[in-house]
RNA sequence: GCGGCCAUGGCGGAACUGGUAGACGCGCUAGCUUGAGGUGCUAGUGGGGGAAACCUCUUGGAAGUUCGAGUCUUCUUGGCCGCACCA
């Protein structure tokens, strides 16, 4: 007999659905646990990354459920976005049709994975019933001051008539059109994420169940730096281009302690002063134009080379009005950071040093390293960045770097030239997208009233269905009448905002919406949200380490401020899984081949099945459609079943690391599934009926098995708690190996075997839910495993009476001895020394020192 | 360039706070069983030596701390990831 996977898996899936096994209902009497896998984009098919992601989430959900938690484990669709519009353009399918068809297919695939999801809470972010609430949140945020509109530079694709995200600009060209991207100033909507910059940074520390790596990435992204901003006055005798030219330059620095080492001022090519000067300086205008050109296309290559243009202007040093510094326009100074102007201190900054060496500017050290003397210390090709004592610096002399920073800031403030300040790298979040398939921004533009929020009673602002994708640009803009409305304030003819929201907005609150997914009249129900939030365990890919997670953290704070939720942090625990990798194959013409088009030889060579020609085998790398090194989960589940796929995902590789897909691995998982089934379908010993009382005594061999059963319960439980699923699988396999070897046909052994098999079924249940239920049923149980609590290890059976102790002589293992547990150190010592191997290793020498670590090791030093 | 992570058999990986390195699996070898096409069972499997007991070397490399280091420290090599002139 063989295990009939397909029959069994579809049967259990139906039973779970019929019994509503995974329906989540608020229940104050039980602790809640919210498990969430990252929202999938409905591309049409699930891929291996999804399988891994949802398997991990499902193991946690099923395990916590068995442990007595009231579990919420929902699923939905991140359904807005560009691919649907591309499909519409390329294949003349309406984005909605394309999206909902894809959702239907993918939902069916997810159901076949046997996930313990509460499907009653499912929604797609493109449902009007979802995005109308998002529009309400937008209006609330607007009222609370989290939203504003401003002119901002955007990457504009002149062929597709659309704005491109930075990652859609490749070598300065649009990723679809290939046309050189232009910088255009557009009026766009922003969320004020910078309001919370300090808090988003500070709260990272409290996210102790987040990967260190992700917290670090967010920390760097937010990029806090403290320093000072202050004015350098332009000297009177500087040449003046016209009256509109500013009289001073404001700079930002994190190193006010090095001010006495200043040798120049540099401003960005985009600085207003540069623009003013360029009006009467053709050479400068040309220089700025060169900077613009290199700044878009060849950023990576040009990074090293620094260029500057001496404006001829002089700036007076803040601390010494007689000291005049030259003012350069320099290509390495960014306009959108700080004030767009810096002072250069070559001795203590690499970039300033490069610049100074190139333009022969003075290099004057002002920080003396602890091991150097003032007379001999010189800066050559390397700036000195470390701590030290300030010298050559007037009133700062003798201070260390930190003290000097503070002293310099105090002085600047007393001079009324500026003040100490903190700067963040984090920018406000531009949410405007010039696209159709997104949530409309609920704003009406009126000639006389300006940007007017759509009144709440008029929500939702629905996307029109009758749109055409026959020409480039935003279909909402081209629609015959959708954008023509009357102003809600003055009733004059006005124009709807035709921008839609960035899809990151959709995914910034979906986790909260699941708590009251079917609520019609408002976005969230405070009681339900307060019960379920925060998400206890969030699972997804590292690729969202910054944007999605940071936006969600901001959104949650904004929702808190507007009274929609009661928490600041959406995700208490975060787990980021690794990618799925596979070898790639190329034919002789260099065209990629799918794995199923290739036959592998035992010697590692490969040939194309169709042609018989040799195939180049590439190294294993992340599965991607472009390289065709993908394996379709649907096909795997068809032939091996969901449990096999799930087991493969959990075995061997730790979940945070990349996983290599191999056919051998899936075969191994499949064989194990069959072994499990055979163990209960055809047990080696006849099993006693359920509820047979536990025998009083066991033979030593049987006792060992009993102890192993309980050891395994304890180990697997702690492995699950710590996301060590590969270890859990190993522990489970050890137990099944031991049970398979049982052959004594006595009543005690039979009892222990039943105990072992039942434990096995319960332990694998979170990972392999279908076969676990099947085994449980074969063992005669009427109550399903989904309703059966997690097994508890008997603490008495976890403690061994005897322990095996390693005996070392001079740090080298010479013997292992078995001793009663917690044996007195002196006695243990004596027994160790009596061991023949130990005596031989000592070669008659006497022990100088003996280290005894109870129940672990004895080291004899001779 | 800056910041971070990682390195263990032929392969994926175990080893909790420094305490028997190589659990578990894949692969391979030998034998048995089964047999038409994702079988099952037994034994073995880090390198070198030995019939064996056992000895010896071994966690990218070099040094150090320690009775004892895969684990801690310093240097070094290689790989992966993030940021990239952020003043």
């Amino acid at each position: 007999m063989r295990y009939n996977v397909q029959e069994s898996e579809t049967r259990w899936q139906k039973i779970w659905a019929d019994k509503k096994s995974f329906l989540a209902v608020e229940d104050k009497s039980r602790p809640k646990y919210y498990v969430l896998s990252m929202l999938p984009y409905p591309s049409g098919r699930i891929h291996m990354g999804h399988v891994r992601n949802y398997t991990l989430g499902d193991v946690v959900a099923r395990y916590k459920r068995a442990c007595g938690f009231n579990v919420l484990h929902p699923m939905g669709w991140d359904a807005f976005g560009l691919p649907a519009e591309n499909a519409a353009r390329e294949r003349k399918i309406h984005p909605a049709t394309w999206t909902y068809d894809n959702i239907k297919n993918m939902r069916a695939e997810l159901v076949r994975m046997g996930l313990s999801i509460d499907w009653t809470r499912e929604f797609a972010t493109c449902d009007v019933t979802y995005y109308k609430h998002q529009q309400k949140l937008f209006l609330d945020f607007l009222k609370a001051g989290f939203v504003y509109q401003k002119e901002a530079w955007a990457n504009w694709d002149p062929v597709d008539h659309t704005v491109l995200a930075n990652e859609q600009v490749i070598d300065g060209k649009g990723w679809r059109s290939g046309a050189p991207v232009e910088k255009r100033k557009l009026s766009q909507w922003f969320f004020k994420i910078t309001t919370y910059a300090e808090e988003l940074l500070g709260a990272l520390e409290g996210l102790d169940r987040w990967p260190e790596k992700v917290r670090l990435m967010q920390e760097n992204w937010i990029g806090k730096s403290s320093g000072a901003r202050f004015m350098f006055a332009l000297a009177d005798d500087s040449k003046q281009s016209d009256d509109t030219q500013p009289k001073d330059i404001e700079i930002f620095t994190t190193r006010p302690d090095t001010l006495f080492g200043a040798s120049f001022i540099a401003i960005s090519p985009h600085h207003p002063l540069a623009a003013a000067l360029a009006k009467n300086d053709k050479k400068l205008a040309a220089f700025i134009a060169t900077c613009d050109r290199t700044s878009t296309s060849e950023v990576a290559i040009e990074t090293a080379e620094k260029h500057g243009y001496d404006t001829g202007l002089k700036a007076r040093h803040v601390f010494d009005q007689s000291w005049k510094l030259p003012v350069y326009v320099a290509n390495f100074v960014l306009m959108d950071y700080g004030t767009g102007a810096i002072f250069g201190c070559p001795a203590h900054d690499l970039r300033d040093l490069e610049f100074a060496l190139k333009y022969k500017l003075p290099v004057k050290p002002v920080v003396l390293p602890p091991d150097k003397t003032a007379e001999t210390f010189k800066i050559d090709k390397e700036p000195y960045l470390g701590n030290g004592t300030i010298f050559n610096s007037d009133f700062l002399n003798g201070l260390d770097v930190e003290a000097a920073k503070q002293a310099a800031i105090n002085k600047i403030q007393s001079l009324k030239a500026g003040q100490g300040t903190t700067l963040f790298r984090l920018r406000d979040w531009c949410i405007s997208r010039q696209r159709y398939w997104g949530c409309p921004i609920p704003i009406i533009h009126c000639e006389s009233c300006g940007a007017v929020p759509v009144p709440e009673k008029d929500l939702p602002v629905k996307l029109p269905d009758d749109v055409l994708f026959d020409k480039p640009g935003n279909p909402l803009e081209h629609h015959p009448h959708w954008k023509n409305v009357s102003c809600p304030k003055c009733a004059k003819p006005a124009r709807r905002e035709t921008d839609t929201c960035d899809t990151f907005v959709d995914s910034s609150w979906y986790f909260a919406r699941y708590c009251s997914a079917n609520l019609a009249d408002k976005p969230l129900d405070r009681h339900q949200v307060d019960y379920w939030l925060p998400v206890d365990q969030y699972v997804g890919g590292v690729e969202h380490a910054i944007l999605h997670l940071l936006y969600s953290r901001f959104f949650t704070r904004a929702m808190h401020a507007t009274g929609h939720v009661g928490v600041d942090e959406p995700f208490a625990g975060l787990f980021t899984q690794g990618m799925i990798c596979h070898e790639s194959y190329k034919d002789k013409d260099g065209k990629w081949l799918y794995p199923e088009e290739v036959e592998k030889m035992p010697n590692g060579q490969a040939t194309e099945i169709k042609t018989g020609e040799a195939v180049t085998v590439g190294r294993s790398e992340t599965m991607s459609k472009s390289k065709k090194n993908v394996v379709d989960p649907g096909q795997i589940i068809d032939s091996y079943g969901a449990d096999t796929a799930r087991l493969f995902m959990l075995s061997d590789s730790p979940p945070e690391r990349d996983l290599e897909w191999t056919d051998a691995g899936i075969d191994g998982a499949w064989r194990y599934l069959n072994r499990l089934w055979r163990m209960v379908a055809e047990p080696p010993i006849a099993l006693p009926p359920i509820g047979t009382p536990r025998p009083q005594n066991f033979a030593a061999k049987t006792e060992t098995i009993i102890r192993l059963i309980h050891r395994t319960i304890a180990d697997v439980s702690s492995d699950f708690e710590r996301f060590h699923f590969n270890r859990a699988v190993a522990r489970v396999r050890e137990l099944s190996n031991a049970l398979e070897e049982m052959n004594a046909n006595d009543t005690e052994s039979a009892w222990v075997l039943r105990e072992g098999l039942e434990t096995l079924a319960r332990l694998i249940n979170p990972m392999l839910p279908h076969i676990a239920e099947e085994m449980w049923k074969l063992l005669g149980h009427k109550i399903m495993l989904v309703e059966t609590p997690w097994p508890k290890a008997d603490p008495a059976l976890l403690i061994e009476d005897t322990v095996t102790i390693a005996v070392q002589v001079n740090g080298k293992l010479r013997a292992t001895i078995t001793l009663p547990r917690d044996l007195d150190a002196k006695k243990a010592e004596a027994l160790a020394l009596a061991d023949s191997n130990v005596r031989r290793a000592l070669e008659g020498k006497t022990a100088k020192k003996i280290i005894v670590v109870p129940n672990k090791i004895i080291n004899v030093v001779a």
Side-chain angles (χ1 to χ4, degrees), chain A residues 89-101:
Chain A
R89 284 179 207 279
E90 284 156 21
R91 290 188 266 150
K92 311 267 176 278
I93 312 167
H94 194 278
T97 314
W98 184 84
T99 305
Y100 284 107
D101 280 355

Side-chain angles (χ1 to χ4, degrees), chain A residues 737-858:
Chain A
N737 287 347
L739 296 178
E740 267 183 330
E741 280 165 21
M742 289 185 75
N743 48 18
N745 207 351
D746 54 273
T747 52
E748 289 80 24
S749 297
W751 188 90
V752 170
L753 181 60
R754 167 174 279 281
E755 185 78 356
L757 293 172
E758 291 194 347
T759 305
L760 200 56
R762 293 163 81 182
L763 293 180
I764 62 168
N765 183 45
M767 305 187 278
L768 314 173
H770 308 90
I771 199 168
E773 290 283 10
E774 196 67 40
M775 287 164 68
W776 194 243
K777 194 180 143 210
L778 281 170
L779 287 164
H781 287 276
K782 298 278 181 286
I783 296 168
M784 289 198 295
L785 258 185
V786 266
E787 290 157 18
T788 304
W790 190 246
K792 277 201 178 66
D794 178 354
L797 291 170
L798 297 177
I799 301 162
E800 304 287 340
D801 302 333
T802 59
V803 286
T804 307
I805 290 190
V807 184
Q808 298 180 333
V809 175
N810 292 328
K812 280 189 180 166
L813 180 73
R814 293 300 169 183
T816 55
I817 54 175
T818 305
L819 300 177
R821 199 171 57 86
D822 293 333
L823 183 71
D824 174 77
K826 278 272 168 286
K827 286 181 190 158
E829 230 180 87
L831 285 165
L833 289 171
D835 185 275
S836 60
N837 281 336
V838 174
R839 284 225 301 270
R840 190 147 41 87
L842 279 170
E843 294 169 319
K845 282 181 274 189
T846 49
K848 277 189 227 148
K849 192 175 171 188
I850 301 177
I851 290 111
V852 180
V853 181
N855 302 323
K856 274 202 174 141
I857 201 164
I858 296 172

Side-chain angles (χ1 to χ4, degrees), chain A residues 472-491:
Chain A
N474 184 352
L476 290 177
E477 196 70 47
H478 303 149
H479 191 277
H481 53 77
W482 183 79
K483 66 178 174 183
N484 301 326
V485 286
S486 51
C487 172
K489 264 195 191 159
C490 67

Side-chain angles (χ1 to χ4, degrees), chain A residues 504-660:
Chain A
F504 276 117
V505 178
D506 311 340
S507 55
S508 288
W509 71 286
Y510 79 102
F511 49 87
R513 178 67 184 172
Y514 280 138
C515 302
S516 49
N518 299 302
L519 191 66
D521 59 331
K522 54 183 175 176
L524 304 166
D525 175 278
R526 257 318 274 277
H527 289 290
Q528 291 175 309
V529 161
D530 286 348
Y531 177 78
W532 291 112
L533 285 184
V535 174
D536 296 279
Q537 188 61 61
Y538 199 30
V539 186
V542 239
E543 63 272 22
H544 295 112
I546 296 174
L547 297 184
H548 164 59
L549 291 168
L550 197 60
Y551 291 152
S552 299
R553 295 180 63 217
F554 157 71
F555 226 83
T556 304
R557 282 169 171 77
M559 288 193 291
H560 193 176
T562 49
H564 291 282
V565 301
V567 295
D568 281 337
E569 287 296 339
F571 314 118
L574 171 69
F575 188 89
T576 52
Q577 97 243 13
M579 314 255 223
I580 315 281
C581 299
H582 195 272
E583 286 179 333
S584 58
Y585 308 102
K586 269 186 188 173
D587 69 10
K588 62 173 182 3
D589 303 322
K591 279 200 309 207
W592 299 105
L593 296 170
Y594 285 107
E596 59 264 32
E597 297 176 297
V598 172
E599 189 178 20
K600 293 267 289 188
M601 303 302 191
N603 61 6
Q605 305 251 299
T607 54
E608 186 177 355
I609 294 169
K610 207 167 59 192
T611 62
E613 283 169 353
V615 164
T616 316
V617 181
R619 74 182 182 110
S620 182
E621 49 196 325
T622 310
M623 281 189 181
S624 76
K625 278 188 195 133
S626 61
K627 287 181 181 147
K628 295 194 175 177
N629 60 340
V630 289
V631 176
D632 173 28
Q635 285 182 19
I636 296 296
I637 294 172
D638 280 345
S639 44
Y640 295 93
D643 283 344
T644 305
R646 294 169 62 122
L647 180 57
F648 178 75
M649 288 293 151
L650 298 167
S651 309
D652 294 352
S653 292
E656 69 277 10
R657 268 196 242 174
D658 285 354
L659 174 108
E660 167 112 30

Side-chain angles (χ1 to χ4, degrees), chain A residues 62-95:
Chain A
R62 286 178 181 269
Y63 168 68
K64 289 290 177 182
R65 204 175 278 121
C67 289
F69 287 90
N70 188 26
V71 170
L72 172 59
H73 185 211
M75 181 61 73
W77 310 96
D78 186 18
F80 273 136
L82 203 53
E85 275 187 67
N86 293 340
R89 284 179 207 279
E90 284 156 21
R91 290 188 266 150
K92 311 267 176 278
I93 312 167
H94 194 278

